[in-house]
Amino acid sequence: GEDVEQSLFLSVREGDSSVINCTYTDSSSTYLYWYKQEPGAGLQLLTYIFSNMDMKQDQRLTVLLNKKDKHLSLRIADTQTGDSAIYFCAVYSGGYQKVTFGIGTKLQVIP
Amino acid sequence: NAGVTQTPKFRILKIGQSMTLQCTQDMNHNYMYWYRQDPGMGLKLIYYSVGAGITDKGEVPNGYNVSRSTTEDFPLRLELAAPSQTSVYFCASSYQGTSGGTDTQYFGPGTRLTVL
């Protein structure tokens, strides 16, 4: 089955850029997502990218997809303290229940 | 729209007790899911449903049961609670058309369950 891997922790200073990385194994993955989870809350979809795209930009968020290396990244520009959260990478390979989540990367923003 | 709602927010159970975690969505989504989240383990799928009357096991179904009698509701039942079921439980829903879709999932706020 699909395997999605992320690092556990990232610490950045306020105002810097954050880059959260994710690798996956299923080359037939069609949609790739980034979810954000704030303390005590459920997951909230931040953005997603279709597998035929290399990049997607949405305000401060930039998603990069390298299909050859099966690598997905989320860049947050001008990181703010409100960006402190856990970020989950998720990959959809089609069919019933084929979304696989990574374990989440905890982003800590230092003022 | 309230989105996906879950009750209760918190619950403490004794070993062997049973309970039902409620989940309701008002977005007319056909797919619904139950996940558990353990520290450092990400999300594990317990059960899912592709429509009213249809449910199927996910990755970690043992100790749980579900039903889907309506489009809106997808309760999760724990029959004999065990300490290993201490976790945060999330319900989610999505819409999948006949030609497929993005399966963007919308999550509820979670139920934090402790079994002592």
Side-chain angles (χ1 to χ4, degrees):
Chain A
E2 175 79 84
D3 191 21
V4 178
E5 295 194 355
Q6 304 177 239
S7 55
L8 283 177
F9 190 75
L10 175 66
S11 181
V12 299
R13 294 207 172 272
E14 189 175 17
D16 288 349
S17 291
S18 309
V19 180
I20 302 171
N21 294 301
C22 170
T23 58
Y24 60 98
T25 55
D26 188 348
S27 58
S28 67
S29 300
T30 53
Y31 290 93
L32 302 101
Y33 311 84
W34 284 104
Y35 284 84
K36 177 184 181 182
Q37 185 184 32
E38 296 182 351
L43 279 69
Q44 178 184 13
L45 180 71
L46 275 181
T47 186
Y48 69 89
I49 189 168
F50 189 48
S51 59
N52 67 354
M53 299 168 66
D54 298 323
M55 184 181 86
K56 180 178 180 181
Q57 188 151 4
D58 184 1
Q59 299 182 345
R60 292 190 298 121
L61 304 178
T62 303
V63 178
L64 294 177
L65 175 61
N66 182 328
K67 284 191 69 177
K68 176 176 169 290
D69 294 337
K70 300 190 190 70
H71 182 267
L72 182 74
S73 68
L74 173 70
R75 179 178 180 269
I76 305 173
D78 187 25
T79 311
Q80 303 297 307
T81 54
D83 295 324
S84 292
I86 300 175
Y87 290 81
F88 289 88
C89 171
V91 176
Y92 176 56
S93 302
Y96 295 154
Q97 187 276 286
K98 288 297 184 184
V99 176
T100 303
F101 288 83
I103 63 171
T105 299
K106 185 172 184 177
L107 174 64
Q108 179 189 45
V109 182
I110 304 166
Chain B
N1 279 357
V4 180
T5 57
Q6 292 182 239
T7 57
K9 284 188 169 48
F10 304 93
R11 184 74 185 266
I12 298 175
L13 285 181
K14 293 182 180 177
I15 294 171
Q17 286 186 318
S18 61
M19 78 163 292
T20 299
L21 283 67
Q22 301 291 345
C23 174
T24 300
Q25 53 91 10
D26 63 359
M27 297 175 281
N28 202 31
H29 285 170
N30 48 358
Y31 282 39
M32 295 187 76
Y33 312 82
W34 274 106
Y35 294 91
R36 59 177 287 171
Q37 183 182 34
D38 300 312
M41 299 295 290
L43 292 172
K44 300 290 185 185
L45 183 69
I46 305 171
Y47 270 94
Y48 68 99
S49 168
V50 302
I54 307 169
T55 63
D56 208 347
K57 296 177 181 178
E59 194 178 348
V60 290
N62 291 344
Y64 307 94
N65 273 303
V66 293
S67 60
R68 183 99 182 268
S69 56
T70 66
T71 300
E72 294 79 19
D73 300 307
F74 190 41
L76 177 72
R77 179 92 179 150
L78 282 72
E79 290 294 349
L80 291 170
S84 61
Q85 293 177 304
T86 294
S87 189
V88 182
Y89 291 84
F90 289 102
C91 179
S93 71
S94 68
Y95 179 76
Q96 285 271 22
T98 52
S99 57
T102 67
D103 198 32
T104 299
Q105 295 185 23
Y106 295 82
F107 284 78
T111 293
R112 188 175 296 272
L113 176 68
T114 302
V115 182
L116 300 174

